[in-house]
Amino acid sequence: MAVTRLIARSAGLLLLGPLVAVAAVLPEERADVMYHGYSGGGVTIDGPSVLVRKNLGNSLSLSANYYVDMISGASIDVEATASEYSEQRDEFSLGADYLVDKTSISIGYTNSSENDYEAQTLAFGISQGFFGDLSTIGLRVSYGSDDVFRNGDDNFAAEAQHRRYSLSWNQILTQKLIAELSVETVADEGFLNNPYRSVRYLDAASGTGFSYQAEFYPTTRNSDAISVRAKYRLPYRAAIKAEYRRYADSWGIAADNMEFRYTHPLKEQDEWILEGKIRYYQQNNADFYSDLFPYLNATSFRARDKELSNYTTLALGIGVSYELPQRWSLLNRRNTINLYWDHILFDYEDFLDVTVHGGSTSINPGAEPAYSFSANVIRLFWSMRL
Amino acid sequence: MRALMLVCTLVLTTGCTITPWVAPYERQYLADPIMGFEQDPVAARYMNHVYEAREAARGAEGGSGGGCGCN
């Protein structure tokens, strides 16, 4: 179901994650096998992710990633207008990084597939270390092309394209402080809404006082984001990270998020590394978003996607990494077992809980309580440095 | 802006150069794995993924770099 289209759309990003790494060295050779799970708001999404990165010679690094999302349940907007469903999204990524002196060149390809959504992304990046390797500047571009379908409607087919341009500047500031500035522009074009989702409008003829009609979004969306992050090594062996991002787009959404993270190894040998974090996010609604439109076809564009509403999220996370003793390590390499748990609170201001009408309540449309929910996110993975 | 132009002009006309102020042998703290913005790409990508699917904001996630630029 295209409810996961946003996930598919981000596929290009996943591929080029290492691009902004410090330029003068190839990314670390490693293999990771992860189980990931998201559970909240009536939906469970989980599955495996396998990532392998290996060098060929001294200047070429190849990577491959297989990622699966298995989705089941019914989120609140599905619950209101449809029934539970389950589906699977498979994603394959291949990447190559080529190092020439202090320049790193990267290319990548990602394919994401589900029963009603196909996405392909090509990406290219270049990064350059300079100023005695105190500075690294990275540029990357990606192009994604999606085919959108609707289950149960053989006559429906649509397309969307996504172009992303980003620039990052990584800077060593002192012996204990490193910072990074990133900017990214994204341009989307085509069918950008969810073919299943509906908006609601006041309808006196309906028993509940409202009815539903299909969403209708603009066919273009341009966004800009700028972020700054820094990491500082404390006087004892531990590190803190701070990050801030500002976002704005042509749909009228502006958002900010801030994160603090604390990393604390328990022993010099890194046997145990503990981590804690807090992240806060807030956004305002899109210009054409409304929880309840006054009548049918009230506006040219219309959305009731809660991700386009006015809301905040607060995430708290803890994690632990344990390095296996030599006698248990596979292939005589450095092996770690890692477990991270994040608890995220979603608090919507103008997305109301219409499920209250399922009971015997006599609440008027628009007077329902605001929706909120919490989600748990698990990352359990085994890593081996090759 | 004027001050910036003045500094640039001085640098260009006097031949002054700014030298890297953290030498490679002074980067032992930055070389520590805990100083990477993200230690585990597979886990960091997944969290960006979670956020991007549930929040309208996207882009400028960065965060894969860090460390000292030395192996």
Side-chain angles (χ1 to χ4, degrees), chain A residues 180-183 225-229 243-246, chain B residues 60-62:
Chain A
E180 183 181 72
L181 177 72
S182 300
V183 292
I226 181 166
S227 66
V228 61
R229 52 187 63 83
E243 179 173 336
Y244 171 76
R245 178 177 67 172
R246 174 73 181 168
Chain B
E61 286 89 358

Side-chain angles (χ1 to χ4, degrees), chain A residues 34-35 338-340 342 377-381, chain B residues 43-44 46-47:
Chain A
M34 179 172 76
Y35 165 80
N338 309 268
L339 176 63
Y340 291 83
D342 290 76
V377 183
I378 294 289
R379 289 168 287 167
L380 173 63
F381 59 99
Chain B
Y46 174 68
M47 282 315 290

Side-chain angles (χ1 to χ4, degrees), chain A residues 7 17 22 30 38 67 89 131-132 173 180 184 188 223 227 229 231 237 245 261 277 279 283 311, chain B residues 18 21 27 32 34 36 38-40 45 47 49 51 54-56 58-61 63-64 66-67 69:
Chain A
I7 297 172
V22 171
R30 58 188 290 166
Y38 169 95
Y67 177 95
R89 184 177 74 87
F131 196 48
L173 292 170
E180 183 181 72
E184 183 161 353
D188 301 324
S223 70
S227 66
R229 52 187 63 83
K231 194 143 196 182
R237 187 160 178 255
R245 178 177 67 172
R261 196 182 299 184
K277 79 166 187 193
R279 179 182 185 273
Q283 72 171 60
Y311 69 99
Chain B
I18 304 170
W21 56 84
R27 297 179 196 170
D32 191 327
I34 67 167
E38 300 291 351
Q39 281 119 54
D40 301 295
R45 291 173 194 186
M47 282 315 290
H49 193 48
Y51 296 139
R54 286 161 193 83
E55 298 171 347
R58 69 261 176 99
E61 286 89 358
S64 297

Side-chain angles (χ1 to χ4, degrees), chain A residues 185-321:
Chain A
T185 292
V186 184
D188 301 324
E189 190 175 1
F191 186 83
L192 303 179
N193 52 295
N194 183 319
Y196 303 99
R197 192 175 283 127
S198 304
V199 301
R200 66 174 184 150
Y201 61 93
L202 282 170
D203 180 6
S206 161
T208 53
F210 61 86
S211 294
Y212 289 95
Q213 72 171 128
E215 281 190 331
F216 190 57
Y217 287 11
T219 54
T220 60
R221 182 186 188 187
N222 298 302
S223 70
D224 296 301
I226 181 166
S227 66
V228 61
R229 52 187 63 83
K231 194 143 196 182
Y232 181 70
R233 204 270 192 188
L234 292 168
Y236 55 96
R237 187 160 178 255
I240 50 170
K241 177 189 167 189
E243 179 173 336
Y244 171 76
R245 178 177 67 172
R246 174 73 181 168
Y247 169 89
D249 69 25
S250 59
W251 287 2
I253 297 172
D256 306 88
N257 61 272
M258 182 165 266
E259 179 178 316
F260 294 97
R261 196 182 299 184
Y262 176 71
T263 309
H264 187 111
L266 286 184
K267 282 187 176 181
E268 284 300 315
Q269 298 90 335
D270 283 348
E271 257 186 32
W272 293 91
I273 299 177
L274 307 180
E275 188 173 283
K277 79 166 187 193
I278 182 166
R279 179 182 185 273
Y280 179 76
Y281 172 88
Q282 69 88 27
Q283 72 171 60
N284 63 274
N285 57 284
D287 295 334
F288 51 92
Y289 171 86
S290 176
D291 178 72
L292 182 62
F293 287 87
Y295 46 86
L296 181 68
N297 296 326
T299 53
S300 308
F301 299 116
R302 49 188 181 271
R304 193 179 170 270
D305 179 353
K306 62 185 185 303
E307 275 85 45
L308 300 185
S309 72
N310 189 344
Y311 69 99
T312 61
T313 74
L314 176 66
L316 300 167
I318 53 173
V320 58
S321 171

